[in-house]
Amino acid sequence: MPSNLVVRCFSVSADGYGAGPGQDIDNPMGVDGMTLHEWVLPTRIFQKMLFNKEGGTTGPDNDFAVHGFENIGAWILGRNMFGPVRGAWPDENWKGWWGDEPPYHCDVFVLTHHPRAPIEMKGGTVFHFVTDGIEAALQRARQSAGSKDIRLGGGVATIRQYLHARLVDELHLAMAPSLLGSGESLFANIDLPRLGYKVTQNVATAKATHLVLTRDS
Amino acid sequence: MPSNLVVRCFSVSADGYGAGPGQDIDNPMGVDGMTLHEWVLPTRIFQKMLFNKEGGTTGPDNDFAVHGFENIGAWILGRNMFGPVRGAWPDENWKGWWGDEPPYHCDVFVLTHHPRAPIEMKGGTVFHFVTDGIEAALQRARQSAGSKDIRLGGGVATIRQYLHARLVDELHLAMAPSLLGSGESLFANIDLPRLGYKVTQNVATAKATHLVLTRDS
């Protein structure tokens, strides 16, 4: 069975925004964007990953967060998800938001218009910079992932490109009970049923409504 | 305390559409639009109202549906919610989707560009046709409702007009776990936090995530 391209744990506001406006180094998720992630921060897996703390919540929120990292052999990220730098890379200093040991532990393909040498990080994460488009990035990710799945991390613009191309096999969205009002809309002018997607799973918790969208083959 | 203008039980798809595309006499909610209402149809109050049947589900879905009719002294509807007729009224035949005895039992103000005499229905519903805009309709509805609230029934375009004018005091949205892909988007290019709205209640059931949005004063 070939590996799937999956979006997992992608948080969206009730009004459809996947990030707040005004992303910068102080607001990696955009202004108020962190309100989208309140479902995941207290979970057992995130408490462990982010703060190396035991404890944290269990239940569906944690289950979805855990599943997000299962059987993933490679990642694809849009450049804005990799960092706040725009345009040509001024130097080699920026190495992602995640410190010396990012939580990926595999090859991560970063879409960009500006070439840059790969960066090898602690713990097995290697950032590769792909300048020849979304299909090329997917092809390289497939080679790296082998039989495992490829997780498309975001952001919104990158996910929309892969959706339009019908390349995403499954999306898990966590719809947060909050409003952002502006920013990047996941749904604007994209007809998901027409692209073959339907809701195949629906699990609501106090902090998010988890929807899994699957594409027909 | 003055009466409030409220939106209640307004169903929206996960991708933000309040109605499907292609509304006509066979598809009052647009194509696939009925999937938005799966949370409300089995409820005790709707089984009673629509089919005069006892039974039906209880719980939060029913509670929200019941609350939707509590303390309502008048309604405001957009013309497309009143019927599929567009342009000038060809005759007096169309009297709404709801048969001889509509479920309103009070004055209902229908926004239209085309004048028409009021229609008195069984059970106390009177349809009034308002041609001088949303504020005029609200003023007439306030006079009719007295100390009770005014419910703004929809559709999407009408609700958006009242939201932009900051005239809606409270909205209860039922977010359905389904995708419509096109139709009328409730959220597109409308910045609800900037207009003063925030989520003040969040109750999820298997069939809908109920969000109550309240405007700051």
Side-chain angles (χ1 to χ4, degrees):
Chain A
M1 194 171 136
S3 68
N4 286 321
L5 179 64
V6 299
V7 173
R8 296 221 171 117
C9 303
F10 196 76
S11 302
V12 180
S13 66
D15 49 352
Y17 296 101
Q23 187 211 39
D24 61 23
I25 192 156
D26 298 319
N27 296 286
M29 307 294 172
V31 175
D32 287 334
M34 283 309 289
T35 62
L36 301 187
H37 303 279
E38 287 174 7
W39 68 274
V40 78
L41 295 177
T43 59
R44 190 177 178 83
I45 182 173
F46 264 69
Q47 289 293 306
K48 179 75 184 165
M49 278 177 50
L50 289 181
F51 310 113
N52 200 25
K53 280 208 283 204
E54 300 303 323
T57 61
T58 55
D61 289 335
N62 188 59
D63 295 345
F64 274 103
V66 168
H67 182 57
F69 291 97
E70 283 171 349
N71 196 42
I72 302 298
W75 284 66
I76 298 173
L77 303 182
R79 192 220 178 138
N80 294 357
M81 199 165 156
F82 177 70
V85 183
R86 302 290 184 266
W89 304 100
D91 51 47
E92 304 283 305
N93 290 336
W94 183 263
K95 295 177 180 178
W97 302 101
W98 307 275
D100 290 341
E101 188 172 343
Y104 302 107
H105 310 295
C106 61
D107 285 326
V108 176
F109 297 89
V110 178
L111 294 158
T112 170
H113 295 292
H114 304 281
R116 182 172 167 183
I119 316 173
E120 205 161 322
M121 308 293 290
K122 279 188 199 156
T125 298
V126 181
F127 293 114
H128 303 270
F129 299 88
V130 182
T131 55
D132 45 354
I134 64 169
E135 307 218 6
L138 181 55
Q139 200 174 357
R140 290 183 62 187
R142 280 204 201 285
Q143 283 163 6
S144 173
S147 63
K148 292 187 172 180
D149 292 329
I150 300 143
R151 181 165 161 185
L152 178 57
V156 170
T158 304
I159 293 175
R160 287 171 58 93
Q161 282 184 63
Y162 279 99
L163 285 170
H164 272 298
R166 295 187 87 251
L167 291 170
V168 179
D169 297 291
E170 190 180 285
L171 293 90
H172 158 225
L173 303 178
M175 309 277 298
S178 65
L179 300 166
L180 284 178
S182 64
E184 291 192 81
S185 168
L186 181 62
F187 301 115
N189 304 315
I190 189 161
D191 188 330
L192 290 172
R194 199 162 167 180
L195 288 167
Y197 295 92
K198 63 180 171 195
V199 176
T200 51
Q201 201 184 345
N202 168 32
V203 179
T205 70
K207 293 187 174 167
T209 297
H210 298 278
L211 299 178
V212 177
L213 282 52
T214 310
R215 202 195 65 224
D216 56 26
S217 50
Chain B
M1 196 170 136
S3 68
N4 285 321
L5 180 64
V6 298
V7 174
R8 296 223 171 116
C9 302
F10 196 76
S11 301
V12 180
S13 66
D15 49 353
Y17 295 101
Q23 187 210 40
D24 61 24
I25 192 156
D26 297 320
N27 296 286
M29 307 292 175
V31 176
D32 287 336
M34 284 309 289
T35 63
L36 301 187
H37 303 278
E38 286 174 8
W39 67 274
V40 77
L41 295 177
T43 59
R44 190 177 178 83
I45 182 173
F46 264 68
Q47 289 293 306
K48 179 74 183 165
M49 277 177 50
L50 290 181
F51 310 114
N52 200 25
K53 280 209 283 203
E54 300 303 322
T57 60
T58 56
D61 290 335
N62 187 61
D63 295 344
F64 273 103
V66 169
H67 182 55
F69 291 96
E70 283 171 348
N71 196 42
I72 303 296
W75 285 67
I76 298 173
L77 303 182
R79 193 220 177 139
N80 295 356
M81 198 164 158
F82 178 69
V85 183
R86 303 288 184 266
W89 304 100
D91 51 47
E92 304 283 308
N93 290 337
W94 182 265
K95 295 178 180 176
W97 302 101
W98 306 276
D100 291 341
E101 188 171 344
Y104 302 106
H105 311 293
C106 60
D107 285 326
V108 176
F109 297 89
V110 178
L111 294 157
T112 170
H113 295 293
H114 303 280
R116 183 172 167 184
I119 315 173
E120 205 160 324
M121 307 293 289
K122 279 188 201 160
T125 297
V126 181
F127 293 116
H128 302 270
F129 299 89
V130 181
T131 55
D132 46 354
I134 63 169
E135 305 217 8
L138 180 56
Q139 199 173 359
R140 289 183 62 187
R142 281 203 199 286
Q143 282 162 6
S144 173
S147 63
K148 291 186 173 180
D149 292 330
I150 300 144
R151 181 164 161 186
L152 178 58
V156 169
T158 304
I159 293 176
R160 286 170 59 91
Q161 283 185 61
Y162 279 99
L163 285 170
H164 273 300
R166 297 186 86 251
L167 291 170
V168 179
D169 297 291
E170 191 179 284
L171 293 91
H172 158 224
L173 303 178
M175 309 278 298
S178 66
L179 300 166
L180 284 178
S182 64
E184 292 193 80
S185 169
L186 181 61
F187 301 116
N189 303 316
I190 189 163
D191 189 330
L192 290 173
R194 199 161 164 179
L195 289 167
Y197 295 92
K198 63 180 172 194
V199 176
T200 51
Q201 202 184 346
N202 167 31
V203 178
T205 70
K207 294 186 174 168
T209 297
H210 298 278
L211 300 179
V212 177
L213 281 53
T214 309
R215 204 194 64 223
D216 56 24
S217 49

